[in-house]
């Protein structure tokens, strides 16, 4: 595994790796005051990814708790996507798709600690080639350059992790939201006086478990208890109850059962915490005038299962919407013309979009050159600039902003892949078009990979995916289109039959060669 990490880095330029302390030191010559005016058509881009943030936990998405006032304000002046999809409920594969516009079978990152190879161009490389300065701060241990390979194209790459997540001896280094925002403010200060536009990527680790927000954000308390596992609610045949007990505090245990509401309260506190730190960042952008020439994109790498399908306080085991639907907000420069519109795109957009679509969307939006990838196998990211153009103008509500899904069908895909020693390496591939989702599970039988079952869900009527309609699909379901798209997606993954064994071999090699990395991955639930 170490050899693989070294090979991934050969033959390409490396980012300047700094600590936040060093970044602050680099500011000695930075100018004060407000930001200079950038050249027209060359805005800054601030990309923020938030680990493990569920799409339904944003207050502006209808969540009754006041978890995200600052993200709500950002959404009010930009576009909030209701149907954004992650291709995989694990950090590195999902973010590799965001950074390359490719699905995992094409970019090759199928698991954590599997670095991105050199066959795909990254978004940072495209920005750098077009004259943008580039910098990143990552707060998640698995995104360090040796483990992720996602530093390519970044002139400045900050990955030192001064904080911890969890309880010793199982704690894992991370950078918490306060420290990450501090570093982001330093980066922005450094670039405020620069003549060239900048592309900055920030990855916040919160609200990934363990759910441990500062006390001032633990303001949510459920009135009732929800003890799980509940013998009155057994899992369906073929599934099992799974509780990630490393995310459960001692006081939330009642014998062998867990107060799920108490754990959910702490998850919501983490969401509130990261939103507060984003508010501090957004205020600094406005104070320096940077918001007048900066596109801000906020998304998550994946969500979190908080009890759906008897899966508690974790992600990665399934490809259901709780972990694969993600929040996405794209906000144009404040008050500046964007895409030819006086106010820029604003509203709520129900059109389908994948994290893999952000790469080509940004390239088209900013007219960047050199973003063509090598011919991928099957589905890949496509520009969804049209979804922004459809909302150019003043804010509108859900009903008037949403276009008919049938008029703009755009299949988006997600998957769950795992090592051979886990559940018999049952893999899942899924496609969603609008509010219809089709998934198939596959298992190895000898040398063959065979379909175990098929699930069809009407997400408009059944957002929790509890009623499988595959046996008697309604006439209104676009079943032919879903099956054709899923067949193409599955056929493109030529490694799927052997993937479980290959991932198991890689993890065993990691366990032998770098047991500390393996221990930390296990502490994170992997």
């Amino acid at each position: 595994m170490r050899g693989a990490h070294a090979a991934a880095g050969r033959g390409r330029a490396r980012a300047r790796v700094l600590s936040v302390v060093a970044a602050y030191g680099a500011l000695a010559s930075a100018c004060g005051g407000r930001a200079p005016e950038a050249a027209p058509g060359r805005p800054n881009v601030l990309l923020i990814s938030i680990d493990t943030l569920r799409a339904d936990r944003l207050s502006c998405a209808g969540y009754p708790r006041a978890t995200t006032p600052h993200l709500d304000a950002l959404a009010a002046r930009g576009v909030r996507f209701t149907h954004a999809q992650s291709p995989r409920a694990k950090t590195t594969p999902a973010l590799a798709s965001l950074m390359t516009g490719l699905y995992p079978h094409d970019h090759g990152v199928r698991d954590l600690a599997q670095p991105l190879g050199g066959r795909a161009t990254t978004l940072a490389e495209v920005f750098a080639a077009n004259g943008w300065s580039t910098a990143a701060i990552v707060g998640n241990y698995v995104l360090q350059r040796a483990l992720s390979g996602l530093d390519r194209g970044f002139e400045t790459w900050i990955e030192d992790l001064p904080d911890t997540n969890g309880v010793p001896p199982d704690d894992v280094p991370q950078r918490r939201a306060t420290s990450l925002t501090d570093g982001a403010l330093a980066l922005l200060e450094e670039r405020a006086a620069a003549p060239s536009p900048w592309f900055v990527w920030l990855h916040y680790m919160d609200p990934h478990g363990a759910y441990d927000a500062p006390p001032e954000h633990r303001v949510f308390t459920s009135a009732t208890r929800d003890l799980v596992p509940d013998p009155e609610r057994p899992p369906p045949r073929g599934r099992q109850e799974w509780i990630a007990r490393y995310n459960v505090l001692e006081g939330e245990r009642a014998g062998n059962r867990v107060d799920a509401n108490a754990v959910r309260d702490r998850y919501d506190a983490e969401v509130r915490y990261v939103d507060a730190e984003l508010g501090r960042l957004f205020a600094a952008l406005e104070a320096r005038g940077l918001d007048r020439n900066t596109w801000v994109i906020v998304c998550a790498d994946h969500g979190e299962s908080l009890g759906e399908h008897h899966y508690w306080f974790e992600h990665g085991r399934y490809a259901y919407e709780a972990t694969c639907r993600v929040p996405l907000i794209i906000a144009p420069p404040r008050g500046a013309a964007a895409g030819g519109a006086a106010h820029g795109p604003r509203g709520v957009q129900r059109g389908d979009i994948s994290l893999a679509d952000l790469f080509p969307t940004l390239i088209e939006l900013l007219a960047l050159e050199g973003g063509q990838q090598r011919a991928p196998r099957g589905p890949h990211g496509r520009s969804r600039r049209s979804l922004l153009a459809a909302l150019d103008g003043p804010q509108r509500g859900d009903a008037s902003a949403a276009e008919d899904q049938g008029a703009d069908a755009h299949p988006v895909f997600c998957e769950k892949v795992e090592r051979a020693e886990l559940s018999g390496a049952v893999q899942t591939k899924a496609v969603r078009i609008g509010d219809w989702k089709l998934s198939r599970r596959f298992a190895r039988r000898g040398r063959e990979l065979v379909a175990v079952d098929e699930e069809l869900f009407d997400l408009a009527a059944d957002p929790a995916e509890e009623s499988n309609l595959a046996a008697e699909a309604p006439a209104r379901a676009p079943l032919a289109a879903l099956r054709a798209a899923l067949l193409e997606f599955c056929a493109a993954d030529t490694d799927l039959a052997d993937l479980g064994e290959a991932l198991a071999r890689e993890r065993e090699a990691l366990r032998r060669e770098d047991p500390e990395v393996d221990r930390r991955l296990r502490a994170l639930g992997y």
Side-chain angles (χ1 to χ4, degrees):
M1 202 66 168
R2 287 173 175 163
H5 295 165
R10 285 196 286 265
R12 57 181 172 85
R14 278 296 196 180
R16 181 171 56 120
V17 179
L18 295 175
S19 67
V20 167
V21 172
Y24 272 113
L27 303 181
S29 61
C31 298
R34 295 176 68 82
E37 294 290 341
R42 288 170 58 83
N44 307 312
V45 177
L46 176 60
L47 172 63
I48 300 169
S49 51
I50 305 171
D51 217 299
T52 323
L53 177 61
R54 287 173 61 114
D56 63 2
R57 249 38 182 195
L58 273 62
S59 305
C60 57
Y63 194 53
R65 287 176 163 175
T67 48
T68 56
H70 300 100
L71 286 176
D72 296 350
L74 183 73
R77 69 174 183 87
V79 178
R80 178 174 65 84
F81 290 82
T82 63
H83 284 60
Q85 200 83 357
S86 172
R88 177 86 194 282
K90 281 195 177 180
T91 297
T92 317
L95 293 177
S97 287
L98 187 159
M99 289 295 176
T100 64
L102 301 174
Y103 281 96
H105 64 261
D106 270 318
H107 61 59
V109 180
R110 310 309 295 268
D111 205 354
L112 305 178
Q114 197 174 52
L116 178 70
R119 64 187 183 189
T121 302
T122 69
L123 191 57
E125 287 176 318
V126 175
F127 271 109
N130 282 269
W132 270 253
S133 66
T134 58
I137 308 177
V138 295
N140 190 332
Y141 174 80
V142 303
L143 292 179
Q144 293 179 99
R145 68 190 317 178
L147 298 177
S148 74
L150 293 178
D151 61 306
R152 281 182 21 222
F154 287 103
E155 300 163 14
T156 301
W157 176 264
I158 298 173
E159 63 174 32
D160 62 315
L161 304 171
D163 307 313
T164 58
N165 186 7
V167 179
D170 295 324
D171 56 337
V172 178
Q174 71 166 61
R175 180 175 293 281
R176 303 199 70 185
T178 300
S179 179
L180 202 145
T181 293
D182 287 343
L185 296 178
L187 279 179
L188 296 177
E189 181 77 15
E190 183 182 28
R191 280 151 180 74
S196 63
W198 45 258
F199 168 58
V200 170
W201 172 37
L202 308 174
H203 182 79
Y204 283 80
M205 178 65 169
D206 318 81
H208 190 290
Y211 314 138
D212 187 26
E216 61 269 25
H217 294 288
R218 298 186 186 185
V219 298
F220 306 118
T221 303
S222 296
T224 60
R225 303 183 80 190
D226 179 17
L227 293 178
V228 295
D230 184 347
E232 300 297 321
R233 295 179 292 171
R237 184 177 179 181
R239 299 299 170 93
Q240 66 178 108
E241 196 96 38
W242 179 262
I243 300 176
R245 294 184 182 273
Y246 58 86
N247 278 330
V248 178
L249 299 180
E250 190 63 37
E252 295 161 348
R253 303 173 190 267
N256 191 43
R257 301 171 75 188
V258 171
D259 183 356
N261 279 345
V263 185
R264 293 188 187 109
D265 290 342
R266 286 193 292 109
Y267 175 86
D268 288 352
E270 285 275 45
V271 176
R272 187 179 190 270
Y273 170 44
V274 73
D275 179 83
E277 288 303 318
L278 290 177
R280 192 159 64 95
L281 175 63
F282 297 156
L285 282 174
E286 184 174 356
R288 296 201 60 84
L290 290 169
D291 60 328
R292 293 175 297 141
N293 196 50
T294 301
W295 283 86
V296 180
I297 299 99
V298 179
C299 64
D301 52 354
H302 52 74
E304 184 82 319
S305 191
L306 297 176
E308 294 81 4
H309 301 274
H310 297 261
Y311 185 31
W312 305 89
F313 324 132
E314 203 179 63
H315 51 270
R317 294 173 70 90
Y318 300 122
Y320 293 117
E321 294 294 279
T323 57
C324 287
R325 187 173 297 210
V326 293
L328 173 61
I329 298 169
I330 299 180
R334 186 188 295 272
H343 301 281
R346 294 168 58 193
V348 179
Q349 176 55 266
R350 294 185 65 248
D352 295 321
I353 187 169
S354 168
L355 290 184
D357 296 326
L358 287 178
F359 177 99
T361 298
L362 289 174
I363 286 174
E364 181 183 359
L365 182 67
L366 300 172
L368 303 177
E369 297 180 354
Q372 293 75 28
Q373 300 287 21
R374 299 178 189 177
R377 297 171 289 179
H380 54 87
R382 298 185 184 278
S383 174
R384 303 298 278 155
R385 170 69 183 92
S386 62
L387 298 183
L388 296 174
L391 293 177
D392 282 347
Q395 176 93 31
R396 289 171 280 180
D398 274 301
S400 59
E403 293 188 23
D404 186 343
Q405 291 291 345
D408 187 25
H410 176 69
V412 291
F413 304 89
C414 56
E415 66 181 21
K416 186 272 295 183
V417 298
E418 62 185 19
R419 304 187 301 274
E421 76 274 18
L422 302 175
S423 305
V426 177
Q427 320 294 23
T428 303
K429 295 278 191 175
V431 59
R432 184 178 55 71
I433 300 176
D435 283 323
W436 287 96
K437 183 174 178 181
L438 179 71
S439 66
R440 284 181 183 159
R441 295 197 306 152
F442 299 87
R444 184 78 171 266
R445 298 288 186 265
R447 300 301 303 171
E448 298 292 324
L449 196 67
V450 299
V452 176
D453 60 31
E454 182 175 85
E455 293 180 312
L456 174 68
F457 298 107
D458 176 0
L459 299 175
D462 178 28
E465 298 166 281
E466 295 178 337
S467 180
N468 182 9
L469 304 176
E472 297 183 21
R476 67 183 185 278
L479 194 56
L482 288 165
R483 282 178 171 163
L486 187 58
L487 179 62
E488 182 185 12
F489 186 55
C490 293
D493 193 351
T494 57
D495 299 324
L496 185 59
D498 300 318
L499 188 58
E501 285 76 9
L503 293 178
R505 288 194 298 271
E506 289 197 7
R507 188 58 177 266
E508 180 56 36
L510 178 66
R511 191 173 294 119
R512 291 193 311 269
E513 298 173 16
D514 202 333
E516 179 58 16
V517 171
D518 179 69
R519 183 196 70 78
R520 289 175 172 176
L521 292 179
R522 290 177 182 274
L524 287 169
Y526 302 118

